[in-house]
């Protein structure tokens, strides 16, 4: 085990390998709203602060001679104000204060990181107000480009500052009150409940940023959990985040109880890397190991894509970032002490990064066995602890039964560690802790319900089969052959193991170039939510699973939300996978606008009614009258024929035709498909990436044409002179002090009301210019080649 954590790990790149995937500034509002919605179901609180410290930071150093007194430490922080800087500046000074022998958080430095953003007031470019760094990492961050996200890659913990106690989304119950009847969420006034995408109340925005920053830090570091602090005026809360959710402390006033803040910091500084949340089963690779990784990955990419030179170097960058190679431990699930059978794999840049706080939080890597040099695929994930069978168990059985076209299992097992652990026999397993506190006497209701939080176990799975997802298909030939290979895997699993996949998607079919084959072979991966079927052909467990875009009509129906899936549902999903890839990656007659509309209605549409979720209306309409697919004319006549025929096998396009259910039997579909591949000339290299518009998902107010300086607030005396009452809550305060004017002008130099008023004329003069810039940006976005589903918009994954 390593003795220190791994910071600033690479993030997955988009398909064009031009930027990090899933963190587009214009989609920040959509992400924040998603984070807010999800967090309400996974937050436990408010935990008494003393209990919080004792549970999570129990080991106070015996020698406290070096501890700086807490007396009057935070008296310079106002109870409420009109701008964060009035709090952040004195707070940073207090946190960093030290003498020649004493300090508050030895070995750490607190920096104002919000002002290190190129557009600090724009939601899409926001950074935490204050971050805590080791001394060495603080030097790195100070030298980093402000456009980078290095602050979140190196942050040990972060602090968010909010001007007013009213910015707190949570409300503590009175001491001694019945917590089961207390609503933890603040009942928000109608400050911003319009349909405008940019509408968030101050409290929602404050909480949404907390969740967003915690999620991104966990994605940019190898972490099991993370601490953070929020201030609302002089009131503070401490948070503990892990992959199950968040534990929130009660508030305390740092002016009146400074010892609680200083005690937390003193305890934190004494914790080991494991105690601060780092995963010590990952450590930095040596230069020799990095060279092994680079050479093995380069050779494998060259063999898979048959490329060289600059093209090869660019393709390798999807898996390798120089100076960022780590060694990761994988313990076989059935290993017993002393665990001598540990497998070690080298990894660098993942092909997918975790962009949600709660859940499986999967990272997928092209990895290299540190002993043999063999390339493999490593899946680092958080599985439901309640699962009795694991994906590796499924794969091992499918391999033993001779199921074709499924990955070959190398090794899998839960991750051992020395923090956030539970004991299972003689194994210490890394697990989430948030759920263990949901039944505590202090835990309150959220949205009038008691929270139910899952427990997750850190797990790694390695397969010897490595390839590219179907999103990288070269043409019609590869699309239809690879998806047929997946269909063969589905049929084999059903006949040999009575198992259905339940998560057919374009991302769960990979393309592998094998020796002597002109066409890359398709492998069906991700059997994590697969299930056995009973004698009636229904899954043993009820409920939707899988990726929303490809679910069958039946499973999308509100009435069928808790039904049991069948093999026929998987077959239908596979047809939608072919249609989806054909629409996005082959030539046809549709405009950007029409393609976007079809994609949104056919694949992404979700309806919520009286607490029930459903969809599939477009798929249902298309199954009878081809209301959507009849609009498409593919350049490939063979592809057009296959799609039309497959849809007819599922359901004839005219109700006048008698439905022949025998055509939708697995053997009939397989016979049609096999004969089709044998008798048709299919295009090999007709890939064309078709553009879809992201304009509807963009928050245009989060975008700006040029960097903007961080706003300087009016001095306190000027605010008082203008007649502002610092104790009064103004519903529009955030719009004035936390956001730039509509024109995007900097607020630098605005120190009083007269100066602020003078800027209004400048705003009006630039209004038309800003409108033109936004229209230009929208046109650029509509010509983007990035499909929405790969940006995390519209690709909904449903798990049981």
């Amino acid at each position: 085990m390593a003795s220190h954590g791994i910071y600033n790990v690479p993030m997955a790149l988009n398909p064009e390998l031009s930027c990090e995937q899933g963190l587009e500034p214009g989609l920040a509002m959509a992400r924040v709203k998603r984070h807010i919605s999800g967090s309400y179901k996974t937050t436990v609180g408010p935990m008494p602060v003393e209990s919080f410290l004792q549970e999570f930071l129990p080991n106070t150093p015996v020698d406290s001679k070096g501890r700086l007194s807490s007396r009057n430490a935070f008296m310079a922080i106002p109870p409420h104000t009109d701008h964060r800087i009035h709090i952040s500046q004195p707070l940073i000074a207090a946190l960093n204060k030290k003498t020649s022998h004493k300090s508050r958080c030895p070995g750490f430095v607190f920096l104002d990181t919000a002002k290190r953003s190129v557009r600090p007031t724009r939601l899409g470019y926001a950074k935490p107000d204050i971050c805590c760094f080791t001394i060495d990492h603080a030097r790195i961050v100070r030298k980093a480009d402000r456009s980078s996200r290095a602050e979140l890659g190196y942050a040990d913990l972060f602090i968010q500052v909010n001007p007013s106690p009213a910015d707190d989304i949570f409300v503590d119950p009175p001491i001694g009150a019945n917590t089961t009847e207390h609503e933890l969420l603040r009942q928000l006034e109608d400050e911003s409940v319009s349909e405008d995408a940019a509408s968030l109340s101050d409290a929602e925005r404050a909480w949404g940023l907390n969740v967003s920053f915690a999620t991104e830090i966990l994605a940019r570091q190898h972490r099991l959990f993370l601490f953070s602090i929020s201030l609302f005026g002089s009131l503070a809360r401490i948070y503990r985040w892990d992959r199950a959710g968040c534990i929130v402390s009660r508030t305390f006033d740092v002016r009146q109880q400074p010892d609680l803040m200083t005690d937390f910091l003193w305890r934190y500084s004494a914790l080991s890397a494991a105690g601060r949340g780092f995963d010590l089963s990952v450590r930095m690779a040596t230069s020799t190991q990095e060279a092994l990784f680079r050479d093995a990955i380069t050779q494998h990419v060259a063999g898979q894509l048959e490329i060289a030179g600059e093209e090869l170097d660019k393709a390798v960058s999807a898996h390798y970032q120089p100076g960022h190679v780590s060694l990761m431990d994988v313990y076989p699930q059935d290993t017993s002490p002393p665990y001598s059978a540990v497998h070690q794999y080298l990894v660098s840049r993942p092909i997918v990064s975790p962009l949600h706080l709660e859940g499986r939080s999967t990272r997928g890597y092209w990895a290299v066995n540190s002993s043999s040099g063999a390339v493999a695929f490593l899946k680092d994930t958080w599985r439901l602890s309640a699962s009795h069978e694991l994906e590796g168990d499924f794969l091992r059985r499918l391999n033993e039964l001779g199921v074709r076209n499924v990955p070959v299992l190398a090794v899998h097992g839960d991750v051992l560690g020395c923090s956030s652990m539970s004991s299972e026999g003689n194994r210490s397993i890394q697990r989430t802790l948030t759920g263990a506190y949901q039944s505590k006497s202090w835990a309150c209701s959220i949205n009038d319900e008691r929270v139910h939080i899952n427990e997750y176990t850190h797990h790694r799975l390695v397969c010897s089969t490595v390839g590219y997802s179907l999103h990288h298909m070269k043409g019609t030939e590869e699309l239809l052959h690879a998806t047929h290979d997946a269909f063969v895997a589905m049929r084999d699993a059903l006949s040999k193991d009575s198992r259905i996949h339940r998560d057919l998607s374009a991302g769960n079919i990979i393309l592998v170039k094998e020796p002597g084959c002109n066409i890359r072979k398709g492998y069906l991966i991700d059997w994590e939510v697969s299930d056995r079927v009973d004698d009636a052909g229904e899954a043993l467990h009820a409920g939707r699973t899988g990726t929303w875009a490809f679910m069958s009509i039946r499973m999308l129906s509100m009435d069928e939300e808790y039904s049991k899936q069948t093999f026929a549902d998987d077959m239908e999903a596979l047809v939608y996978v072919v249609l989806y890839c054909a629409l996005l990656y082959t030539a046809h007659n549709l405009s950007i606008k029409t393609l976007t509309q079809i994609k949104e209605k056919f694949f992404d549409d979700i309806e919520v009614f009286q607490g029930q979720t459903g969809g599939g209306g477009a798929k249902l309409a298309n199954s009878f009258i081809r209301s959507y697919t009849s609009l498409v004319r593919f350049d490939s006549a063979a592809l057009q024929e296959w799609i039309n025929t497959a849809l007819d096998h599922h359901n004839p396009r005219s109700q006048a035709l008698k439905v022949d259910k025998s055509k939708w039997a697995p053997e009939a579909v397989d016979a049609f498909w096999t004969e089709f591949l044998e008798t048709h000339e299919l295009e090999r290299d007709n890939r064309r990436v078709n553009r879809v518009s992201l304009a509807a998902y963009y928050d245009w107010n989060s975008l700006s044409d040029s960097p903007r300086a961080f706003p300087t607030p009016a001095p306190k005396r000027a605010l008082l002179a203008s007649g502002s009452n610092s104790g009064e809550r103004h519903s529009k305060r955030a719009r004035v002090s936390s956001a730039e004017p509509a024109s995007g002008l900097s607020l630098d130099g605005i120190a009083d009301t007269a100066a602020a008023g003078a800027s209004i004329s400048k705003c009006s003069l630039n209004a038309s210019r800003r409108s033109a810039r936004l229209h230009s940006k929208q046109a650029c976005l509509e010509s983007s080649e990035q499909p929405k589903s790969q940006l995390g918009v519209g690709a909904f994954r449903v798990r049981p």
Side-chain angles (χ1 to χ4, degrees), residues 8 36 92 126 153 176 224 257 277 321 332 438 458 549 596 610 623 746:
N8 202 35
I36 292 172
I92 291 172
L224 308 182
Q257 296 176 288
Q321 181 173 331
Q438 60 188 323
H458 199 185
T596 301
Q610 295 184 345
S623 70
S746 169

Side-chain angles (χ1 to χ4, degrees), residues 27-189:
L27 294 172
M29 180 62 71
R31 285 196 301 275
V32 167
K33 287 189 172 185
R34 182 189 71 204
H35 289 318
I36 292 172
S37 176
S39 68
Y40 290 160
K41 303 174 184 177
T42 59
T43 300
V44 182
M47 187 175 188
V49 182
E50 294 82 357
S51 300
F52 189 102
L53 296 177
Q54 188 58 38
E55 288 282 330
F56 304 131
L57 301 92
N59 299 317
T60 303
V62 176
D63 182 9
S64 59
K65 294 180 180 179
R67 181 172 178 174
L68 197 64
S69 172
S70 63
R71 184 178 180 183
N72 296 327
F74 306 108
M75 289 304 292
I77 295 175
H80 38 70
T81 182
D82 286 309
H83 200 281
R84 60 168 291 277
I85 290 181
H86 296 150
I87 298 173
S88 63
Q89 289 181 344
L91 178 60
I92 291 172
L95 296 176
N96 287 329
K97 185 177 180 180
K98 62 181 180 179
T99 67
S100 57
H101 301 292
K102 295 184 177 183
S103 63
R104 296 211 160 96
C105 196
F108 294 92
V109 177
F110 295 84
L111 301 181
D112 187 338
T113 45
K115 68 180 182 181
R116 286 188 47 79
S117 169
V118 292
R119 300 180 180 93
T121 62
R122 303 292 190 182
L123 190 62
Y125 300 90
K127 295 179 180 179
D129 290 309
I130 302 170
C131 283
C132 170
F133 303 101
T134 65
I135 294 172
D136 290 339
H137 291 158
R139 296 191 188 101
I140 295 173
V141 169
R142 287 188 180 106
K143 295 178 181 178
D145 192 296
R146 292 172 64 200
S147 63
S148 76
R149 306 290 285 179
E151 294 81 3
L152 291 98
Y154 288 104
D156 247 75
L157 62 81
F158 70 95
I159 302 175
Q160 280 300 97
V161 172
N162 306 277
S164 167
D167 294 329
D168 190 356
I169 197 74
F170 302 118
V171 179
D172 294 341
I175 300 296
N178 185 349
T179 59
T180 60
E181 298 177 357
H182 180 79
E183 174 59 41
L184 185 59
L185 282 181
R186 179 181 299 279
Q187 298 303 306
L188 299 173
E189 298 177 1

Side-chain angles (χ1 to χ4, degrees), residues 584-598:
L584 290 183
Y585 306 122
T586 70
H588 50 66
N589 64 319
L590 299 181
S591 65
I592 294 175
K593 180 179 179 180
T594 304
L595 176 61
T596 301
Q597 291 173 338
I598 289 178

